[in-house]
Amino acid sequence: MSSPLGPRPRPEILTIAPYIGGESHLAGVNRVLKLSSNEGAFGAPPGAQAAYARLAREIFRYPDGAAEALRRAIGARFGLDPARIVCGNGSDDLIYQLALSYGGPGTELIMTRHGFSMYAIAGAYAGSRVVKVAEHHLTADVDAILAAVSPATRLVCLANPNNPTGSLLGAAEIARLRRGLPADVLLVLDAAYAEYVTRADYEPGVTFVDAGDNVVMTRTFSKIFGLGGLRLGWAYAPPGVIDVMNRVRNPFNTNAAAQEAAIAALNEPGWVEKSRAHNSAWRDRLGAMLTEAGIKIWPSEGNFILADFTTRERADGANAHLRASGILVRPMGGYDLPHCLRITIGTAAECEAVAASLTDFMRHG
Ligand SMILES: *Cc1c(COP(=O)(O)O)cnc(C)c1O
């Protein structure tokens, strides 16, 4: 806490609740099953690990601040113009850049009630008023978002699929949202889980970015590409937004090891296909096992499921039971969903262990 005579931050800074990440350790347990941070089920791609090790000799050198080779590799992989890509120290870095560049005192940032918490942190840091809009069945509601737009609105941030709910808006709904927004409002489509989506009406954001000047799509290497520890995200954006981001980002915001490992991860044969197939199969299977145990499961398009225990007490009890089994999942009190737990889809054995523990909890309390 700051003393009354000492340096003081802007007052809105002290309204920010620090981001709480997923736990990694349990006292007294050697091997925890960490299903609390939506990291990919298969660890880091072998090629990425080798690239990271190879780079060890070169870490005295500054990285390429423009991440040229990586942007070319992303462009080639996704069929995008590398000049319209900016890389960041995780996509969180990109969200900060956008919130600080387009928001600020006197402006508003719109997100949804159970939207990804980084938007609220970045918006408050920028000095914007953060407006949380009601959802419908834990899904973003386009009409409610459009109704919340005011002359002060500068940003609308939407994770699609959303974390932690797993819900998704189809392409027609996103198109309707884009059409309804004033031209000077930036729509940030956070597609961190794009590779896991199986719904046919999904569009991560490229066509919406291409359709005008006010949509940005962000992506990450932290989820399906298995590089959360290296911190690497990227944005695909219109030229005007790219220009802004290149002015404000830290000149060396992505490090050399992350750049090399990410290029290797993009080129890992079959990695995305294998991970997606595993995720789809086990998302269904774990969902069915938990439903069988009497737990309500919200439909998810991500690499996690939101398990609904109806009351905070039951969710806390389930979490304590999982912890006693050495399993870490994510409590949802910070997302205004204290009656829920978010469970990452891990390996087959990890999913079986979660199902066994929660089935036991539901039977014996
Ligand atoms: C995990 C996640 C990200 C990724 O953040 P990084 O900073 O790239 O690790 C972004 N958005 C959402 C909604 C997420 O769940």
Side-chain angles (χ1 to χ4, degrees), residues 57 207 313:
R57 277 177 315 215
T207 59
E313 290 66 33

Side-chain angles (χ1 to χ4, degrees), residues 198-285:
T198 49
R199 238 171 74 176
D201 64 340
Y202 178 59
E203 153 61 44
V206 173
T207 59
F208 304 115
V209 175
D210 289 344
D213 297 322
N214 66 334
V215 182
V216 176
M217 173 185 71
T218 62
R219 304 284 285 261
T220 185
F221 281 90
S222 300
K223 304 287 155 58
I224 206 162
F225 288 106
L227 300 180
L230 289 182
R231 315 303 304 125
L232 198 59
W234 55 280
Y236 177 65
V241 178
I242 294 288
D243 175 58
V244 166
M245 297 176 88
N246 277 326
R247 289 171 195 266
V248 302
R249 67 178 176 80
N250 282 325
F252 302 104
N253 63 330
T254 61
N255 69 75
Q259 291 179 20
E260 290 295 322
I263 292 169
L266 287 171
N267 294 323
E268 187 82 28
W271 182 263
V272 168
E273 293 77 6
K274 170 180 117 166
S275 304
R276 181 193 293 134
H278 170 87
N279 191 69
S280 303
W282 281 96
R283 191 172 58 197
D284 285 354
R285 231 172 274 175

Side-chain angles (χ1 to χ4, degrees), residues 38 89-92 95 116 119 159 163 190 192-193 219-220 222-223 231-233:
N38 296 346
N89 185 38
S91 41
D92 294 349
I95 293 164
F116 186 45
Y119 313 144
N163 168 22
D190 178 345
Y193 300 95
R219 304 284 285 261
T220 185
S222 300
K223 304 287 155 58
R231 315 303 304 125
L232 198 59

Side-chain angles (χ1 to χ4, degrees), residues 59-116:
I59 56 176
F60 68 105
R61 297 209 187 275
Y62 273 79
D64 171 10
E68 281 276 345
L70 173 57
R71 287 189 297 108
R72 271 203 309 276
I74 294 169
R77 170 67 181 255
F78 295 96
L80 303 174
D81 176 2
R84 303 270 302 276
I85 293 168
V86 174
C87 295
N89 185 38
S91 41
D92 294 349
D93 178 25
L94 304 164
I95 293 164
Y96 269 67
Q97 291 170 27
L98 294 168
L100 286 158
S101 299
Y102 291 91
T107 74
E108 293 176 355
L109 177 151
I110 292 178
M111 61 183 288
T112 66
R113 174 152 177 230
H114 308 291
F116 186 45

